[in-house]
Every structure is written in C-alpha cells, then in structure tokens.
C-alpha cells in the first residue's frame, strides 16, 4: 500500500524533475508564450513538495487538495491554475484514504487529466497537456494487471509519443493558436509538462523497487 511517505517521495521526485527541466520548459514556452513556464512550474512543485513534507495530514485526499491550493498560490499562470485544479480534483477522489493500492496510481493520472480538462475547457486533439496525459492514462489502464513499474513505463512511453503526436497538430488554445497552421511542427510545452508529471510517478515507483 502507498501511504503518505510514498506521496512525500512522489512530490519530491516531481520537484526534482521540474527543477531540472526549467530551462527546457522556458525555451519551449518562449516560442509561443511568454517564456515563464519553467520558472512557474519550478515554483509550483517546490512549494507543493515543501507543503506535503511539512504537513501532518495523513488523509491523502486532503493532502492532495491542499497541495493543489499551495501549488496555485506559488504558480501564478494559466498552467499553474490547470495543474492545481488537477491536484484538487485528485484530492476530492481520494478523500478519506490514508493509503493507495498500486492500481490506484491510475487515478493520479486520470483525475489530473479530468481536472485540467474541466478548468481549461479543452479537448484531446487540440495540442495541449491533454494530448500527452490521456494517452498515458489509456496505456496505464490497458496494462494495469502488470506490475506498477511496467504499467507506468507503458504510460510514460505513451506520454512521450503524445508529445510527438501533438507537435503535428494545429494549436487551438493559448498564444500558439494565433499562429494557426504555422503552429504545426512546434512542440507544445503543456504536453511536455504532462510527460514530466508521468515521469515523476514512474521514477518514484522505480526508486521503491531498488
């Protein structure tokens, strides 16, 4: 069972991954946005990680919900708002739980996707975060009877493919949408955020097996 200690490790892994990718996200965002995505994501995950470690809360639902609020306060941007909505959505689904079964890791992907979709008013196929997170969720679900390291590896690979596939789409949201057909061929930074999110889950589970 995956308890608060595991969640602490997960948020630390997310923080490490997003700190390491500040420059990458900044460069991608500079193409069609204002270039602050790397800093914003770094600030958000650092604040959420610190909150989760400092909190005495063992109800994982409340922990994720409150981490989402903390994330939103630190990451003042549209993507920050979207991810905080995802975390809060996860929190609502986990209310009352103090531990998760391995298969419930799927919920951390599906409910993040649902929260982002609801707040962002986007659909899969519109060159956004959803185009990497939904393929990951489907792949994880399809492989859920395998070991966690295996179904999360499949999910991460699907997210990576989602990043590539979305690059071939025309953007329908954000500043990239102003480029219309010229946005085709440009990597959407939101899809990379989704890939890194799934990567955090995979690396945390992998570290548990060492």
């Amino acid at each position: 069972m995956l308890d608060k200690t595991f969640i602490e490790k997960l948020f630390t892994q997310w923080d490490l991954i997003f700190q390491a990718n500040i420059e990458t996200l900044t460069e991608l965002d500079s193409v069609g946005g204002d270039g602050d995505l790397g800093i914003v994501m770094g600030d958000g995950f650092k604040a959420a990680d610190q909150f989760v470690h400092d909190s005495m809360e063992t109800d994982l639902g409340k922990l994720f919900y409150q981490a989402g609020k903390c994330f939103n306060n630190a990451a003042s941007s549209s993507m920050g708002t979207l991810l905080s909505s995802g975390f809060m959505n996860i929190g609502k689904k986990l209310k009352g739980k103090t531990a998760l079964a391995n298969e419930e890791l799927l919920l951390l992907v599906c409910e993040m996707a649902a929260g982002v979709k609801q707040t962002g008013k986007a659909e899969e196929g519109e060159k956004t975060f959803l185009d990497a997170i939904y393929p990951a969720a489907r792949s994880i679900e399809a492989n859920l009877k395998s070991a966690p390291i295996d179904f999360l590896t499949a999910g991460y690979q699907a997210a990576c493919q989602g990043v590539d596939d979305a690059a071939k789409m025309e953007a329908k949201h954000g500043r990239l949408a102003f480029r219309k057909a010229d946005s085709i061929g440009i990597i959407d930074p939101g899809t990379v955020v989704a890939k890194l999110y799934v990567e955090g889950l995979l690396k945390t589970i992998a570290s548990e097996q060492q």
Side-chain angles (χ1 to χ4, degrees), residues 86 108-118 129-130 133-134 137:
L108 302 187
V109 179
C110 290
E111 297 306 327
M112 170 58 74
V116 169
K117 178 180 180 180
Q118 181 178 8
F129 179 95
L130 301 180
I133 199 76
Y134 272 124

Side-chain angles (χ1 to χ4, degrees), residues 85-146:
S85 296
F87 281 128
M88 293 168 75
N89 199 53
I90 291 170
K92 293 174 184 177
K93 296 295 182 180
L94 295 182
K95 186 176 181 181
K97 288 182 175 288
T98 56
L100 303 177
N102 287 333
E103 59 268 20
E104 288 179 295
L105 290 169
L106 174 62
L107 184 149
L108 302 187
V109 179
C110 290
E111 297 306 327
M112 170 58 74
V116 169
K117 178 180 180 180
Q118 181 178 8
T119 300
K121 310 299 182 186
E123 297 289 340
E124 190 175 0
E126 296 179 342
K127 201 181 180 88
T128 71
F129 179 95
L130 301 180
D131 292 301
I133 199 76
Y134 272 124
R138 287 192 293 269
S139 186
I140 290 170
E141 185 172 20
N143 292 277
L144 204 55
K145 292 183 179 180
S146 61

Side-chain angles (χ1 to χ4, degrees), residues 41-168:
M41 291 294 99
D43 289 348
F45 279 99
K46 180 178 289 295
D49 179 36
Q50 189 65 56
F51 168 78
V52 169
H53 279 78
D54 290 345
S55 176
M56 300 300 290
E57 183 61 69
T58 57
D59 182 320
L60 300 186
K62 292 180 180 178
L63 190 66
F64 266 95
Y65 190 88
Q66 292 166 0
K69 293 180 70 174
C70 183
F71 191 100
N72 192 45
N73 289 336
S76 55
S77 73
S78 56
M79 184 60 72
T81 299
L82 293 174
L83 287 194
S84 65
S85 296
F87 281 128
M88 293 168 75
N89 199 53
I90 291 170
K92 293 174 184 177
K93 296 295 182 180
L94 295 182
K95 186 176 181 181
K97 288 182 175 288
T98 56
L100 303 177
N102 287 333
E103 59 268 20
E104 288 179 295
L105 290 169
L106 174 62
L107 184 149
L108 302 187
V109 179
C110 290
E111 297 306 327
M112 170 58 74
V116 169
K117 178 180 180 180
Q118 181 178 8
T119 300
K121 310 299 182 186
E123 297 289 340
E124 190 175 0
E126 296 179 342
K127 201 181 180 88
T128 71
F129 179 95
L130 301 180
D131 292 301
I133 199 76
Y134 272 124
R138 287 192 293 269
S139 186
I140 290 170
E141 185 172 20
N143 292 277
L144 204 55
K145 292 183 179 180
S146 61
I149 188 71
D150 294 326
F151 66 65
L152 287 174
T153 296
Y156 176 66
Q157 291 172 342
C160 292
Q161 186 62 52
V163 172
D164 292 340
D165 291 343
K168 302 170 187 174

